Amino acid sequence: MRKLKNSELERLSIEEFKSSEKTPIIVILDNIRSLNNIGSVFRTSDAFLIEKIYLCGITAKPPHKDIHKTALGSTETVAWEYVENTLDLVKKLQEEGVQIASIEQAENATMLNDFQPDPGTTYALVFGNEVKGVSQEVVSHSDLVLEIPQFGTKHSLNISVSCGVVIWDLFSKINH
């Protein structure tokens, strides 16, 4: 086996990315503190043609050198918007028919591996603060809560890792 060169990867241009059909997934970042995590979420969202990222509360916005460092230019490709109040955004998206899925450990959560997305449905995935998680008021207003099964002692993943796991899982189920 030979590793591929960057020139062999057939990457989309910014214009091609923006005009591509998007995966019916929206990402909501609820009060994320780490700029590196924010940049990583942009990069993952670019990789799987995510519709849009909403940056809420204390979540920093591009342009910022620490976001740029991990985003590697994906802040230029993935559509994003800042909204101060996460709950207001959740209610607005629900009115538009978007299903809100908080990624959290909660009573009656659906394990990610058991979840089957409905065809033709757009999902907004809410990822929460590194310490406090998704706010309880947002969890309470969510249409569902998805939990990543974990088997070790920590029962905690970095938000950028959680984002990669959940987006890949939904992307692969939507595009099977």
Side-chain angles (χ1 to χ4, degrees), residues 152-166:
T153 61
K154 299 301 175 205
H155 290 274
S156 166
L157 292 170
N158 178 284
I159 184 264
S160 65
V161 172
S162 294
C163 185
V165 168
V166 174

Side-chain angles (χ1 to χ4, degrees), residues 2 9 32 35 40 43 55 72 77 83 105 122 140 158:
R2 176 184 65 82
L9 295 178
I32 303 302
L35 286 87
S40 181
R43 200 157 140 197
L55 309 169
L72 294 179
T77 54
V83 175
Q105 295 163 325
T122 298
S140 296
N158 178 284

Side-chain angles (χ1 to χ4, degrees), residues 43-100:
R43 200 157 140 197
T44 299
S45 297
D46 175 278
F48 297 107
L49 290 168
I50 298 308
E51 256 182 49
K52 189 170 189 175
I53 298 173
Y54 285 97
L55 309 169
C56 301
I58 65 166
T59 307
K61 315 179 281 291
H64 192 287
K65 67 180 177 73
D66 289 333
I67 294 174
H68 182 73
K69 182 169 74 174
T70 50
L72 294 179
S74 55
T75 57
E76 304 301 317
T77 54
V78 180
W80 65 272
E81 182 179 338
Y82 175 78
V83 175
E84 187 171 341
N85 187 288
T86 308
L87 184 58
D88 290 346
L89 171 63
V90 162
K91 290 176 180 177
K92 176 183 171 283
L93 290 173
Q94 284 173 321
E95 288 172 6
E96 296 171 4
V98 174
Q99 291 287 297
I100 307 299

Side-chain angles (χ1 to χ4, degrees), residues 5-6 21 25 27 32 44 63 67 70 92 94-95 109 115 121 130 149 151 155 163 176:
K5 297 176 183 159
N6 281 345
E21 183 177 344
I25 297 173
V27 172
I32 303 302
T44 299
I67 294 174
T70 50
K92 176 183 171 283
Q94 284 173 321
E95 288 172 6
F115 178 69
T121 299
E130 292 88 343
F151 306 99
H155 290 274
C163 185
H176 65 280

